Amino acid sequence: MALQAMSDQELHERYEVLQKTDNHKNDLIKELLHRLGRLGGEYQQMALDHQREIQFNRDGQIRERDLKDEMRRLKASMGRDPFVLVLIDGDGMIFEDNYIRKGEVGGKEAAASLWNNINDYIHEKLPHIPADCRIVTRIYANMKGLAETCYRSGMLERATLIEDFYRGFTGSKILFDFVDVGPGKDRADDKITGTVCPIRTPLPWLRDTDLVTELFKLHLSDFHCQHIFFGCSHDNGYARLLEQYTDPTVTKQITLLEGVPFERELYALQSRYAAVRFENVFRANKINVYIQPLYPSTQPASREHPTRAPSDHDALPPTSGYQSPYQSLISTKGPSPTPGNSLIMNPKAPTWASTATSAAQIVSPPPTPTPAASKPATSTEIRRNRHGQRIDPATVYDRDEINRLRSMKLCNVHYLRGDCRYDPCTHDHKHKLTNNEKKALTTLARMIPCVYGSECDDPKCFYGHQCSLSVTGKKDCLFGENCKFDRSLHGLDLTVVKTTKIGKK
């Protein structure tokens, strides 16, 4: 009835209201469906991301597990063969005399003493180093030069004791090696499966400092090397190497060994590096080598030897050409050299003069030819042959006269140069030489080779510039390999072709 009572207008109005309501409902449903579709897509994306995260985490866990296993293997490998390196420049870090004098036995004792001291230091000062850590020792030196120096200083009765010493040192422990870097034939000897080779290959093209430096750098970055004991207190040159390292994690891996007192620049670095001195292992003082080389002979040795005052030629390197640090090892703590102490002759070593005069009883040396055309050189002239080599005037000596003059301890510089600089001089200046005595004294001085050899241009030089016992064209003499004159000073052409004049000094 109510519907009948409504007019058409009212019915249309009610329909429009309902239609609007349906439209609102439809719009809501559409929006809900749109939102549902969007949320569904986001859900799918998040589900994929989650799946990837799960896979990534799983892969990460696997990688982490593998890395941990690899780290364990690396740590085991790094700790498998730990060692400490004892690296020594043997030209200046020289073992105590009492070890070297014993030869091979002393070498073994020195190796044991060094090993014990290093081992004790590790346990006391470096507790982080594993107990099974091995000690590797490398000593680099010029064996010939070292032997010559120790012998000439009177420390040894024969030069070959050095070789015996280092043979014992190297043979005592598998990881202890002495490397000869001096002149010599190329050899390649190794310690293989416990076979001990006493001396490693000489490397004449490298200096010992070069080898020590390179080995130092190599082992400093080696994770098997737990620590380096560096024996270099005698040489300021190593300060350049040590100054490069300032990182405490690096410097704490190095301990400086002291033999002779640290040189100035090395001493300044002790605030950065640990330092230790092992008592009764290495020499604490430098070797005095302010002498001419002496060589053994078959004749009994005399304890009276000729000495002389130093002259301009006295800063003498050994005649073999060896010039690494021994010349710098002249002690600066002792008294200044004087004619009495500048030549500390080896009391056990016979002199060249005594050998020459003794051998003269057996065979007479060939006379030195004197060309008729040559004239005696004046005090400002130097005679030279066609090769420019200095030629000494011929000398004739009397054995008894030579021995008599040797016992008089005359000052060669005073009598033969006239410019002795020592006051007071410990050698005789008062004796008045006869002409014959002066000739004999000149002959005696000529038995000492001049360090400048045949190139010497000092007209007042009284040393020998060629072996007077050699014959022209022959590179040997009565003494053979024991002659202290270099092979190049044998067999010179004695024909004088020119005279070089030198201004008066």
Side-chain angles (χ1 to χ4, degrees):
M1 292 298 291
L3 291 173
Q4 292 178 357
M6 291 183 182
S7 64
D8 294 338
Q9 180 66 29
E10 291 176 338
L11 288 173
H12 280 291
E13 289 178 355
R14 291 182 65 183
Y15 172 73
E16 289 177 357
V17 171
L18 291 174
Q19 190 177 25
K20 288 180 180 179
T21 301
D22 286 339
N23 289 338
H24 286 304
K25 181 184 69 174
N26 291 334
D27 291 340
L28 177 61
I29 291 173
K30 287 180 181 180
E31 185 172 351
L32 290 175
L33 290 174
H34 176 73
R35 290 187 180 182
L36 180 62
R38 188 181 64 188
L39 290 174
E42 291 177 354
Y43 170 78
Q44 291 295 331
Q45 184 64 41
M46 292 183 65
L48 290 174
D49 291 343
H50 181 64
Q51 191 66 30
R52 281 196 297 269
E53 290 292 335
I54 292 175
Q55 185 64 38
F56 178 80
N57 289 338
R58 184 178 294 112
D59 293 343
Q61 290 172 351
I62 293 173
R63 276 200 310 273
E64 182 182 6
R65 183 188 61 197
D66 293 342
L67 288 173
K68 285 182 178 180
D69 291 341
E70 184 177 356
M71 187 177 296
R72 281 192 293 269
R73 288 194 299 270
L74 287 175
K75 285 185 176 180
S77 175
M78 291 172 64
R80 185 168 295 137
D81 293 306
F83 68 91
V84 297
L85 175 67
V86 183
L87 186 58
I88 296 173
D89 183 343
D91 282 339
M93 292 284 290
I94 302 173
F95 285 91
E96 286 281 4
D97 299 2
N98 60 306
Y99 290 128
I100 299 179
R101 290 192 184 109
K102 294 179 183 178
E104 189 167 343
V105 173
K108 294 179 179 179
E109 292 178 356
S113 179
L114 180 60
W115 191 94
N116 290 332
N117 278 277
I118 293 291
N119 192 52
D120 292 343
Y121 184 89
I122 291 172
H123 289 313
E124 294 175 9
K125 304 292 185 180
L126 306 170
H128 63 281
I129 293 180
D132 62 342
C133 186
R134 292 184 289 181
I135 299 174
V136 178
T137 300
R138 296 287 183 270
I139 301 179
Y140 290 84
N142 179 347
M143 176 172 286
K144 183 177 181 181
L146 181 58
E148 191 172 280
T149 298
C150 293
Y151 173 64
R152 289 163 53 209
S153 69
M155 194 173 92
L156 303 179
E157 63 179 7
R158 56 185 174 86
T160 54
L161 280 174
I162 284 289
E163 184 174 348
D164 296 341
F165 171 81
Y166 278 115
R167 181 181 293 108
F169 181 88
T170 304
S172 64
K173 298 183 182 295
I174 292 297
L175 298 179
F176 276 41
D177 284 311
F178 172 84
V179 181
D180 181 9
V181 299
K185 296 182 179 179
D186 251 345
R187 294 181 295 115
D189 300 311
D190 291 302
K191 290 200 277 186
I192 302 175
T193 63
T195 302
V196 177
C197 176
I199 302 169
R200 288 292 182 94
T201 308
L203 303 173
W205 62 89
L206 287 177
R207 297 178 302 149
D208 49 349
T209 51
D210 296 330
L211 293 167
V212 171
T213 298
E214 289 305 313
L215 199 64
F216 177 90
K217 293 178 179 178
L218 176 66
H219 285 85
L220 191 59
S221 57
D222 185 349
F223 56 80
H224 291 290
C225 183
Q226 305 291 313
H227 202 80
I228 296 178
F229 291 88
F230 195 21
C232 62
S233 64
H234 63 286
D235 193 342
N236 265 328
Y238 291 111
R240 306 289 84 75
L241 170 66
L242 296 171
E243 286 171 351
Q244 302 176 29
Y245 306 104
T246 56
D247 186 349
T249 59
V250 176
T251 58
K252 71 179 183 180
Q253 299 179 42
I254 303 167
T255 296
L256 302 181
L257 293 180
E258 182 178 16
V260 299
F262 284 105
E263 292 294 334
R264 179 176 56 83
E265 295 181 49
L266 290 171
Y267 183 82
L269 291 174
Q270 288 192 73
S271 60
R272 188 183 304 174
Y273 296 93
V276 64
R277 170 173 174 74
F278 298 139
E279 297 296 333
N280 302 319
V281 178
F282 297 102
R283 287 179 60 98
N285 59 314
K286 298 178 179 180
I287 298 178
N288 188 336
V289 293
Y290 210 89
I291 57 176
Q292 289 280 355
L294 300 174
Y295 295 83
S297 73
T298 57
Q299 301 298 323
S302 170
R303 287 193 172 268
E304 295 182 3
H305 303 278
T307 58
R308 59 176 178 80
S311 68
D312 295 338
H313 291 202
D314 278 351
L316 300 178
T319 57
S320 63
Y322 176 75
Q323 297 181 11
S324 189
Y326 300 115
Q327 197 170 342
S328 66
L329 292 181
I330 299 172
S331 176
T332 57
K333 295 185 177 181
S336 300
T338 67
N341 66 14
S342 63
L343 288 184
I344 306 177
M345 295 294 184
N346 186 341
K348 300 177 183 179
T351 64
W352 189 88
S354 66
T355 305
T357 53
S358 298
Q361 302 175 41
I362 304 172
V363 57
S364 299
T368 304
T370 305
S374 64
K375 298 184 299 182
T378 67
S379 61
T380 59
E381 294 180 346
I382 297 176
R383 310 185 322 158
R384 297 192 182 277
N385 62 15
R386 61 192 177 94
H387 302 293
Q389 298 167 309
R390 180 167 178 165
I391 303 300
D392 293 329
T395 56
V396 179
Y397 63 85
D398 177 83
R399 183 192 63 187
D400 295 333
E401 185 69 3
I402 290 286
N403 289 334
R404 185 178 69 84
L405 289 177
R406 287 177 55 231
S407 65
M408 293 173 65
K409 297 184 182 290
L410 301 176
C411 176
N412 289 348
V413 178
H414 171 71
Y415 288 108
L416 302 180
R417 288 185 64 100
D419 57 0
C420 179
R421 296 171 292 172
Y422 290 92
D423 186 15
C425 179
T426 58
H427 285 65
D428 188 9
H429 285 204
K430 297 179 180 179
H431 179 75
K432 292 185 179 181
L433 287 182
T434 65
N435 288 336
N436 288 336
E437 286 176 332
K438 187 169 184 178
K439 291 178 181 178
L441 187 62
T442 300
T443 299
L444 186 59
R446 293 282 187 217
M447 294 177 181
I448 303 172
C450 174
V451 67
Y452 300 104
S454 60
E455 297 180 359
C456 177
D457 58 3
D458 180 1
K460 299 173 70 175
C461 178
F462 49 73
Y463 297 124
H465 303 94
Q466 76 263 350
C467 177
S468 63
L469 299 182
S470 67
V471 178
T472 300
K474 294 185 177 181
K475 291 298 182 180
D476 58 8
C477 67
L478 175 66
F479 296 98
E481 294 182 355
N482 290 327
C483 182
K484 65 178 179 175
F485 281 84
D486 189 77
R487 184 177 176 84
S488 64
L489 299 180
H490 288 74
L492 272 59
D493 181 357
L494 300 180
T495 303
V496 177
V497 299
K498 62 180 178 180
T499 300
T500 304
K501 292 186 177 181
I502 308 293
K504 293 185 178 180
K505 297 184 178 182

